[in-house]
């Protein structure tokens, strides 16, 4: 008794045809985000390392600052002098360059 799916056409597809169909089907998929090579990926059940957490937090701060800048730009001119506009401007004025430049230590014996 034969097992597996029956060929859709008259003949079974070749490996190259199957691969082309697979790539076409997955061409629209978004590739997963990759960490820089200097950071190892945590295994399931293992928390990320301190340097990984540091880089993620700093990246999140920079992204939030950019979002707040866009929000301030979208505010009407009349409301920019209000409490919301002032708070947004204070966040935008923060200089994150020093924080972005910090490279935390990797740990005992790996510095």
């Amino acid at each position: 008794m034969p097992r597996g799916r029956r060929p859709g056409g008259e003949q079974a597809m070749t490996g190259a045809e199957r691969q082309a169909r697979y790539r076409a089907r997955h061409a629209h998929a978004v590739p997963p985000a990759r960490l820089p090579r200097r950071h190892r990926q945590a295994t399931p059940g293992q928390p990320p390392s301190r340097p990984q957490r540091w880089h993620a937090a700093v990246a999140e701060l920079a992204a939030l600052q950019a979002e707040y800048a866009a929000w301030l730009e979208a505010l009407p001119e009349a409301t920019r002098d209000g409490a919301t506009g002032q708070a947004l401007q204070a966040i935008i004025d923060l200089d994150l360059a020093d924080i972005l430049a910090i490279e935390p230590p990797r740990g005992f014996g790996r510095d």
Side-chain angles (χ1 to χ4, degrees):
M1 180 158 123
R3 293 184 176 214
R5 278 179 41 187
R6 305 294 279 163
E10 293 180 20
Q11 293 182 337
M13 292 191 324
T14 65
E17 290 170 335
R18 279 193 301 276
Q19 184 178 21
R21 185 178 65 179
Y22 176 85
R23 286 184 177 168
R25 199 170 54 233
H26 290 87
H28 67 281
V30 177
R34 295 182 181 215
L35 293 174
R37 287 183 178 238
R38 66 178 182 239
H39 303 297
R40 65 177 175 80
Q41 291 188 359
T43 57
Q46 179 183 10
S49 67
R50 286 186 186 105
Q52 287 173 329
R53 291 176 21 219
W54 174 264
H55 289 292
V58 170
E60 181 68 20
L61 277 175
L64 281 171
Q65 190 178 40
E67 287 179 27
Y68 286 133
W71 183 4
L72 182 64
E73 288 295 318
L75 276 180
E77 192 68 35
T79 59
R80 289 188 185 179
D81 293 332
T84 302
Q86 290 176 355
L88 292 172
Q89 188 62 52
I91 292 170
I92 293 167
D93 291 340
L94 290 173
D95 185 15
L96 298 179
D98 292 337
I99 294 174
L100 291 169
I102 294 173
E103 184 66 35
R106 295 178 56 198
F108 181 74
R110 293 180 296 214
D111 290 339

